Amino acid sequence: MAEGAGGGAGEELFVLRVADEALADKLHRVLREEATVHGHVELTFQDNNLDGVLSVEGVSYPVKLLNLPTVVEAYKTYDEINMVKINDIGQAADGVTPPMRNARQRHFKPVPKVDPGEVAAVERDLLALLSGFAPAGMRITDVEEEFVVDAHSGAGSWQRDG
């Protein structure tokens, strides 16, 4: 978890994802001081510091601490205009919702293998087209058309010149 700006053990920040809409709403209202908790809210971790339990008013929810793919900056505002960076977040408390297993591997898929000969042939054909010539086995036909709008109906269509 992130340490405070002073370099010592300061305020720690993490992302808590909650699938249960009622629980998410309750925690949101408690954090905004619009509601109170009957009992306590407690987040405890086992010896491995990865698996834990979130207890809210006596109900336990399993939690897993995951490293985020990159550090996320956390900001705070006091006047809804100016933002102040308060910390960096490097981990997410997850497990209340299913973790995004292998998300990086799924998102950044490996580049497909393409035959180098096929790449060379496409490049050759593209250069021929750019030079004004047709690739082997093809013919280029230049057709000039004009978009004409009918004055009475307002409908338009492409028509060949000439």
Side-chain angles (χ1 to χ4, degrees):
M1 290 196 185
E3 291 185 353
E11 184 177 82
E12 295 183 11
L13 301 176
F14 56 90
V15 177
L16 177 63
R17 295 178 60 213
V18 180
D20 184 344
E21 249 183 79
L23 175 61
D25 183 53
K26 180 172 199 68
L27 290 173
H28 188 75
R29 285 186 289 119
V30 167
L31 290 172
R32 288 183 166 235
E33 298 177 354
E34 297 170 356
T36 58
V37 175
H38 304 292
H40 67 281
V41 176
E42 184 177 21
L43 180 60
T44 56
F45 289 96
Q46 297 171 2
D47 293 338
N48 63 6
N49 286 332
L50 296 176
D51 299 308
V53 174
L54 172 67
S55 298
V56 179
E57 297 179 335
V59 180
S60 297
Y61 302 92
V63 172
K64 185 165 186 73
L65 191 63
L66 302 173
N67 291 328
L68 295 174
T70 184
V71 174
V72 178
E73 294 180 342
Y75 290 86
K76 184 182 258 187
T77 181
Y78 295 103
D79 58 4
E80 301 295 328
I81 296 172
N82 299 308
M83 304 289 282
V84 178
K85 180 179 174 184
I86 58 170
N87 220 325
D88 292 327
I89 303 172
Q91 293 178 317
D94 209 309
V96 179
T97 60
M100 292 180 49
R101 187 177 311 276
N102 301 325
R104 280 186 272 182
Q105 290 81 2
R106 289 192 320 261
H107 184 70
F108 300 107
K109 294 182 180 174
V111 177
K113 296 187 181 191
V114 180
D115 178 31
E118 187 177 346
V119 172
V122 169
E123 182 181 14
R124 196 174 35 254
D125 291 345
L126 182 60
L127 289 173
L129 284 169
L130 291 173
S131 299
F133 300 102
M138 294 186 171
R139 187 177 69 135
I140 296 177
T141 304
D142 189 14
V143 177
E144 290 194 28
E145 294 181 324
E146 180 180 4
F147 191 78
V148 178
V149 178
D150 185 290
H152 298 292
S153 68
S157 63
W158 287 98
Q159 298 178 1
R160 288 189 180 191
D161 284 345

